[in-house]
Amino acid sequence: MKRRTFLSLGAASVAVLGTPWFSGCGRNNALHQALAKPQMLAHLCDESGIIEIGKAYVSQAPDESRIEKLTELLQTATSGSITSSKLSEIDLLMIEKSEEDFQKNNTVIVNGWVLSETEARQCALYFLIQ
Amino acid sequence: MHIDARNLANDSTIEGDICIVGAGAAGISLAMEWINSSHRVILLEGGGFKYEDQVQELYAGKSTGQKYYPLKSARLHYFGGTTGHWAGFCAPFDEIDFIKREWVQHSGWPIQRKDLDPYYERAHPIIELGPYQYDFKYWRQQDASLKSLIHDDSVVWNKMWQFSPPTRFGEKYKDAIVNAKNIHLYTYANVTDILATENVSAIKSVTIKNHAGKQHTVKARYFVLACCSIQNARLLLAANSQAANGLGNDHDNVGRYFMEHLEVKSAHLWLRNPDPLKLYGFDFGLVKSRAELAITAAKQSEEKILNGTASLMPMAMAKKLKPMIEMWSSEDPVENMDHVMKEFEQAGLTSSSSTGEKAYELFTRIEQAPNPASRVTLDNERDALGVPRATLHWQLSDLDKRSIRKIYEIIGQEIGKSGFGRVQLMEYLQDANDNSWPAFIGGGWHHMGTTRMSNDPKEGVVDSNCKVHSLQNLYIAGASCYTTSAAPNPTLTLIALTLRLSDHLKQVVKSKN
């Protein structure tokens, strides 16, 4: 992660702290938990809503129906691979990745939601690790 | 001058220079242009100065195809016409609405937006609108608190609307019309037939009747039909004693291409933080302007979609509102309006502005692709005055549906870019392969296109001056002349088009004198 990116995410980082209901998923590993947090959606719908989106995405993109595959896709960022050693940064990186998706029109419609590909995958991962 | 045609001696002959059939927004706007001229203008109104069921009944007809409002209650039949209960929503058509779009069959007017601009400006005071300004930047200069949901207007832009009080033509212009010496308003003067010259190249007279059993003849040098899209088509089709398919119908275009604005709830906007979104808010009678989210011409072209807009309503209110197609189900327009107003009040729609909501419903207003199979024809049944009733076959197309879906996909992407929140399409739009329509889809009571404009007589009924192609002295005023229907409500444009017609008629009259 480049320093420029962190600076540009200053405002977003404040918002991340206020994410309403993500509280960890017990036995699942920390990287999966960190990746599976669609920050914007967490402010717009409840946990069951995220799970529904995740379930629908998995059904609509069967190639991405495995935890490993989703983890790999989510970890791939424009600026390089995200590693588990930077767990504390993942929230911000996912926000940036999601914003990039919108800028590049990398969007998908899942259950009617117009989402960035990243947040759709985050929902899918959240669904799978439950 | 006002004359009640019921009180004339039966079989009277009325003569004038110009005969305007219909005293609604178009007919009255046209007549007002001729006040104090040296020309005798005959203005014919089928009803009186207030609502009467017996007169309204003349508009009753059948509907087939896509479910529609009862025809009897879809228009008002008395002096002032449907301005008697219109809501006053106004915006000009966009440049793209007039041009030929390869992906929209039968699109392309013979006139352009620039041809109407001066008339739009002249139409503004008639319906008591503000300055002829529809640029978002202008309105933000007036109120710096107006905040756009969109950061980049190259894909989605804020299309501004203005609101008429709304002007009730029957009240606002009654005195001016009645007191004008050269305007002869005849009430209870329903045109039941149009008679042409022997070679059917011009109109000689129209026959008027009323429920008092009186029948009269009106002769004029020029005739203008201004009865709204369904009735204009009905009159031309019913005038078939000299032309088997009806007057002006040599190429079977009269009644075809009936268009409505598809008005339907379509998506939900969820904001990260509550916001009143003042720019997009509407308080009836209080707000003078607002924006709707629209798709740029370039993006419409790229996606090959129709022109449409999305308006916003707080979800809490929207959820309480029944679809219009359910609320407006009676044959009685007064009963329907009472019902709608009651529903609005219960939903809180007439109360003060929202102070900040997190969820909004996105409501579509979109043009209908011109479709020759969407049409008005004559029924075998006749009304009390002997005129065949109209039958409406409203037919939508796959392009209509695909366009709505794509519009919300685009808006969803742009809202995502702006970071305000996310958009969720309603269930009926989620399957790209599903071209069916939900039961709650309705129209805006905007009837357009049954005597469409084209300079090619094979493609349209009127030319660019609103003159019926094959008839030298018959003109049509109103939304029936629209080649395409654009997204905005039709009243502002139909008045602008009528003023343009009036200028043209003045030139014609002058050149023939």
Side-chain angles (χ1 to χ4, degrees):
Chain A
M1 186 69 191
K2 293 172 184 169
R3 178 170 171 72
R4 177 191 56 76
T5 312
F6 275 112
L7 290 174
S8 70
L9 288 173
S13 64
V14 175
V16 168
L17 295 174
T19 302
W21 50 260
F22 288 118
S23 57
C25 302
R27 64 184 185 278
N28 295 305
N29 80 49
L31 175 61
H32 295 158
Q33 287 178 33
L35 286 171
K37 292 181 184 176
Q39 297 290 340
M40 174 66 88
L41 282 172
H43 282 84
L44 309 182
C45 44
D46 58 17
E47 185 175 12
S48 65
I50 299 286
I51 290 171
E52 273 177 37
I53 292 170
K55 192 175 174 184
Y57 183 75
V58 164
S59 148
Q60 126 183 6
D63 290 353
E64 300 178 21
S65 61
R66 289 181 303 109
I67 290 174
E68 296 72 23
K69 178 70 176 175
L70 285 165
T71 305
E72 179 196 329
L73 289 167
L74 286 167
Q75 280 182 280
T76 308
T78 318
S79 53
S81 193
I82 300 164
T83 66
S84 56
S85 64
K86 292 182 178 175
L87 282 181
S88 60
E89 300 165 7
I90 286 180
D91 282 345
L92 301 180
L93 289 166
M94 287 297 105
I95 289 173
E96 185 182 57
K97 199 164 149 63
S98 183
E99 286 172 353
E100 276 178 11
D101 281 348
F102 275 114
Q103 294 305 327
K104 293 176 181 171
N105 287 337
N106 284 339
T107 57
V108 288
I109 299 180
V110 188
N111 272 2
W113 288 92
V114 183
L115 303 174
S116 70
E117 208 167 44
T118 296
E119 60 192 351
R121 287 172 173 157
Q122 288 180 288
C123 292
L125 184 58
Y126 192 84
F127 160 65
L128 291 174
I129 64 177
Q130 292 310 296
Chain B
M1 188 180 298
H2 168 232
I3 303 103
D4 185 329
R6 295 174 302 185
N7 299 331
L8 292 173
N10 194 34
D11 209 14
S12 294
T13 297
I14 299 159
E15 294 190 65
D17 295 307
I18 295 170
C19 173
I20 303 168
V21 183
I28 290 176
S29 297
L30 181 58
M32 295 283 292
E33 289 288 301
W34 292 74
I35 287 178
N36 293 330
S37 73
S38 58
H39 305 284
R40 184 183 169 98
V41 174
I42 311 295
L43 178 57
L44 302 177
E45 167 52 49
F49 289 111
K50 58 180 177 43
Y51 178 84
E52 291 165 72
D53 194 64
Q54 188 183 43
V55 176
Q56 192 67 37
E57 174 62 25
L58 298 171
Y59 278 0
K62 291 177 188 151
S63 277
T64 59
Q66 183 68 37
K67 186 180 178 187
Y68 197 62
Y69 308 110
L71 294 194
K72 180 182 166 186
S73 59
R75 274 283 160 295
L76 288 179
H77 197 1
Y78 60 95
F79 184 75
T82 309
T83 67
H85 67 199
W86 78 307
F89 285 44
C90 294
F93 287 8
D94 302 327
E95 283 178 19
I96 192 174
D97 296 321
F98 294 91
I99 65 172
K100 172 80 182 163
R101 291 164 283 170
E102 295 307 324
W103 65 96
V104 182
Q105 251 196 312
H106 309 292
S107 62
W109 295 50
I111 60 172
Q112 302 303 312
R113 161 68 188 263
K114 65 179 167 49
D115 298 314
L116 274 189
D117 268 328
Y119 298 100
Y120 272 133
E121 192 160 9
R122 273 171 56 185
H124 259 226
I126 294 173
I127 38 181
E128 302 169 89
L129 297 174
Y132 183 50
Q133 286 284 356
Y134 287 89
D135 185 355
F136 167 54
K137 286 176 191 159
Y138 168 86
W139 289 97
R140 194 168 51 187
Q141 277 171 2
Q142 316 305 308
D143 182 352
S145 69
L146 298 178
K147 184 174 69 181
S148 174
L149 273 171
I150 301 299
H151 290 161
D152 168 14
D153 63 5
S154 64
V155 176
V156 173
W157 59 293
N158 292 304
K159 181 170 175 65
M160 297 303 300
W161 289 64
Q162 292 193 45
F163 299 102
S164 169
T167 305
R168 307 285 180 217
F169 278 54
E171 296 163 15
K172 176 89 178 169
Y173 298 115
K174 181 183 172 187
D175 288 348
I177 293 287
V178 168
N179 294 330
K181 287 180 182 169
N182 68 317
I183 310 291
H184 300 251
L185 167 66
Y186 289 81
T187 50
Y188 302 98
N190 288 281
V191 171
T192 57
D193 200 6
I194 306 172
L195 295 174
T197 53
E198 202 171 333
N199 59 0
V200 200
S201 62
I203 302 304
K204 202 165 60 177
S205 65
V206 296
T207 304
I208 58 174
K209 289 184 182 175
N210 52 47
H211 290 89
K214 301 282 180 67
Q215 174 175 325
H216 312 294
T217 299
V218 181
K219 294 179 177 174
R221 293 168 63 197
Y222 302 96
F223 292 84
V224 181
L225 293 186
C227 307
C228 86
S229 292
I230 292 178
Q231 301 307 320
N232 283 344
R234 181 186 176 200
L235 277 178
L236 289 173
L237 292 170
N240 55 12
S241 60
Q242 295 165 287
N245 295 327
L247 290 172
N249 200 23
D250 299 345
H251 300 282
D252 191 23
N253 283 317
V254 173
R256 292 190 184 272
Y257 304 96
F258 172 87
M259 296 176 287
E260 245 284 15
H261 288 127
L262 280 68
E263 297 199 352
V264 62
K265 52 188 176 180
S266 301
H268 299 142
L269 166 65
W270 301 90
L271 298 178
R272 183 187 176 102
N273 300 309
D275 195 312
L277 298 181
K278 188 178 176 188
L279 172 61
Y280 308 93
F282 173 63
D283 264 357
F284 191 77
L286 295 176
V287 170
K288 300 294 179 200
S289 66
R290 78 156 179 197
E292 293 188 357
L293 297 172
I295 311 299
T296 59
K299 191 67 177 175
Q300 287 178 49
S301 175
E302 181 189 326
E303 299 289 351
K304 299 189 175 359
I305 56 172
L306 298 165
N307 198 1
T309 64
S311 60
L312 282 72
M313 181 185 286
M315 190 93 82
M317 287 183 190
K319 275 191 168 170
K320 292 179 195 163
L321 277 181
K322 287 183 199 154
M324 282 295 180
I325 199 76
E326 276 180 38
M327 285 198 274
W328 198 277
S329 57
S330 166
E331 292 278 332
D332 182 343
V334 179
E335 187 185 310
N336 284 331
M337 186 52 89
D338 288 347
H339 186 188
V340 168
M341 294 313 292
K342 202 173 286 177
E343 292 278 342
F344 280 1
E345 273 173 35
Q346 283 171 359
L349 214 67
T350 52
S351 62
S352 59
S353 292
S354 161
T355 51
E357 303 287 340
K358 208 173 164 180
Y360 288 82
E361 183 178 273
L362 296 172
F363 187 85
T364 305
R365 191 190 321 274
I366 189 172
E367 66 175 322
Q368 175 187 350
N371 177 357
S374 182
R375 65 187 297 201
V376 173
T377 53
L378 295 180
D379 192 17
N380 291 329
E381 188 185 324
R382 291 173 184 267
D383 69 18
L385 302 180
V387 182
R389 290 195 184 279
T391 292
L392 171 65
H393 181 77
W394 186 29
Q395 184 174 301
L396 306 181
S397 68
D398 293 352
L399 177 59
D400 300 325
K401 178 84 184 280
R402 185 174 72 77
S403 297
I404 297 178
R405 184 178 193 275
K406 183 55 78 174
I407 282 171
Y408 287 96
E409 190 179 328
I410 295 167
I411 289 174
Q413 288 169 340
E414 295 307 302
I415 296 284
K417 274 183 201 169
S418 74
F420 280 107
R422 294 290 181 267
V423 167
Q424 185 184 23
L425 280 61
M426 290 182 67
E427 198 173 344
Y428 76 94
L429 293 175
Q430 292 179 14
D431 181 354
N433 299 313
D434 177 10
N435 288 322
S436 67
W437 294 96
F440 51 80
I441 192 163
W445 301 272
H446 305 153
H447 304 166
M448 299 167 282
T450 58
T451 64
R452 72 197 313 257
M453 183 189 285
S454 170
N455 277 337
D456 180 351
K458 290 178 184 163
E459 298 293 325
V461 177
V462 300
D463 65 16
S464 58
N465 291 314
C466 298
K467 187 187 83 63
V468 175
H469 278 295
S470 55
L471 295 156
Q472 15 179 295
N473 64 344
L474 179 61
Y475 293 81
I476 296 185
S480 64
C481 297
Y482 294 1
T483 312
T484 54
S485 54
N489 296 21
T491 305
L492 173 63
T493 298
L494 79 83
I495 292 171
L497 201 56
T498 299
L499 298 178
R500 184 171 175 275
L501 164 61
S502 180
D503 278 7
H504 172 74
L505 261 178
K506 282 177 182 173
Q507 282 179 0
V508 170
V509 169
K510 195 176 170 186
S511 69
K512 296 280 168 66
N513 278 344

